[in-house]
Amino acid sequence: MEMDPQQKRAALRAINYGLYIVTATHGGQTAAAGVNWVTQASFDPPLVVVCIKPGTETHDLALESGGFVVNVVGADQIDVAKSFFRPTVVEGDTLNGFTFHTSPVTGAPHLVDLPYWFEATVTDTVTTGDHTIIVGQVVGAGVHDDTVEPLVLRSTGMNYGG
Amino acid sequence: MEMDPQQKRAALRAINYGLYIVTATHGGQTAAAGVNWVTQASFDPPLVVVCIKPGTETHDLALESGGFVVNVVGADQIDVAKSFFRPTVVEGDTLNGFTFHTSPVTGAPHLVDLPYWFEATVTDTVTTGDHTIIVGQVVGAGVHDDTVEPLVLRSTGMNYGG
């Protein structure tokens, strides 16, 4: 039986997501990308899954360095997120114009304007599909503003899925 | 450097989720469970990741049968979802009191009262953590009511993560 592509798309787009800026640093290079295919995957050890397209700089630096940072975009921060849909520009202590601090374990940047971040070291990858399923153990985390609600991607009218 | 457990929890709870009833059927047995660690992971082939605790009946039947169904809970359906936080009861064509149809490829049930569903066959598993990261290729999907918005787990005040 053939699967109806429109029903498949509608059903997969019914998965709810937030929006995250994933960063990675290796060999003096830093990249950042907007990503929404993110989930926790274990409590102990704390694991997360992040799915990123091969060939993107963030993907390659995450795998080469063995680590990455996930920055959570807040409910009213879609404009911040959109600035990371363009190529990454590092100038001084800013990333695409937004101030960052260096995360202690991975050395990848976390953005001080975004409310929550965590860093992870890569434990497993699955390369069956057109994105790499990167499993990482959470080794650092921080809160810049715990009053901010995370963005629900659906509320923006944008989606990445289907 | 030690990670602050409270900051870790707050940052991981900032990931946004929907809520899903995952079902699996094998050898005449059927189980269903409420799950929120779900994401798409590839467009072509269409892959999803679902993270489920080992030892639960749904986990074991999904791996034994090599397939599972994900039913998307709608915005006003938290009470339906809560009925699946209890052990699964199959009576005739109902699962915990809700009518189901049998999905064509996996044979696992999809619930006609929930707006969207898809079924997947298992392609990979990662067992590094305390939940199994199950990767599945989407092989069937359907829409019962495309007017229903999917539930955002955060909006219920419940969470599973941190």
Side-chain angles (χ1 to χ4, degrees):
Chain A
M1 174 183 281
E2 279 299 299
M3 173 166 58
D4 179 321
Q6 287 187 305
Q7 298 222 324
K8 180 205 67 168
R9 183 160 70 175
L12 288 177
R13 287 192 173 180
I15 300 173
N16 265 325
Y17 299 103
L19 185 58
Y20 312 93
I21 308 303
V22 176
T23 68
T25 296
H26 186 65
Q29 282 193 292
T30 290
V35 171
N36 65 295
W37 290 351
V38 173
T39 182
Q40 190 165 352
S42 171
F43 287 108
D44 185 18
L47 300 180
V48 292
V49 165
V50 174
C51 306
I52 310 183
K53 203 166 182 177
T56 62
E57 209 179 350
T58 304
H59 172 276
D60 294 351
L61 293 177
L63 294 192
E64 287 163 16
S65 69
F68 57 89
V69 169
V70 175
N71 297 273
V72 178
V73 175
D76 298 323
Q77 296 185 309
I78 187 63
D79 289 341
V80 180
K82 282 182 177 171
S83 80
F84 290 93
F85 298 166
R86 298 191 293 270
T88 309
V89 178
V90 184
E91 285 184 336
D93 65 345
T94 68
L95 202 62
N96 291 12
F98 296 95
T99 301
F100 70 84
H101 292 167
T102 299
S103 306
V105 181
T106 61
H110 58 266
L111 297 157
V112 301
D113 292 312
L114 298 189
Y116 310 91
W117 64 276
F118 52 88
E119 60 178 334
T121 53
V122 176
T123 65
D124 301 273
T125 58
V126 180
T127 58
T128 306
D130 59 16
H131 288 55
T132 303
I133 298 169
I134 304 174
V135 183
Q137 178 165 345
V138 177
V139 290
V143 176
H144 293 129
D145 185 349
D146 68 3
T147 67
V148 176
E149 289 275 303
L151 180 77
V152 176
L153 185 61
R154 183 181 308 285
S155 72
T156 67
M158 297 191 310
N159 61 64
Y160 186 80
Chain B
M1 172 185 281
E2 278 298 301
M3 173 166 59
D4 179 321
Q6 287 187 305
Q7 298 222 323
K8 181 205 67 166
R9 183 160 71 176
L12 288 176
R13 287 193 173 179
I15 300 173
N16 265 326
Y17 299 103
L19 185 58
Y20 312 94
I21 308 303
V22 176
T23 68
T25 297
H26 187 63
Q29 282 192 294
T30 289
V35 170
N36 64 295
W37 290 352
V38 173
T39 182
Q40 189 165 351
S42 170
F43 287 108
D44 185 19
L47 300 180
V48 292
V49 165
V50 173
C51 307
I52 310 182
K53 203 165 184 179
T56 62
E57 208 179 353
T58 304
H59 173 276
D60 293 352
L61 293 178
L63 294 192
E64 288 163 14
S65 69
F68 57 89
V69 168
V70 176
N71 297 273
V72 178
V73 175
D76 298 323
Q77 296 184 309
I78 187 64
D79 289 342
V80 179
K82 282 182 176 169
S83 80
F84 290 93
F85 299 165
R86 299 190 292 270
T88 309
V89 178
V90 185
E91 286 184 335
D93 65 346
T94 68
L95 202 61
N96 290 14
F98 296 95
T99 301
F100 69 85
H101 292 166
T102 299
S103 306
V105 181
T106 61
H110 58 265
L111 298 156
V112 301
D113 291 312
L114 297 190
Y116 310 91
W117 65 275
F118 51 89
E119 60 178 334
T121 53
V122 176
T123 65
D124 301 273
T125 58
V126 179
T127 58
T128 306
D130 59 16
H131 288 55
T132 303
I133 298 169
I134 304 175
V135 183
Q137 178 165 344
V138 178
V139 291
V143 177
H144 293 128
D145 185 348
D146 68 3
T147 67
V148 176
E149 288 276 302
L151 180 77
V152 175
L153 185 61
R154 183 181 309 284
S155 72
T156 67
M158 299 192 308
N159 61 63
Y160 186 80

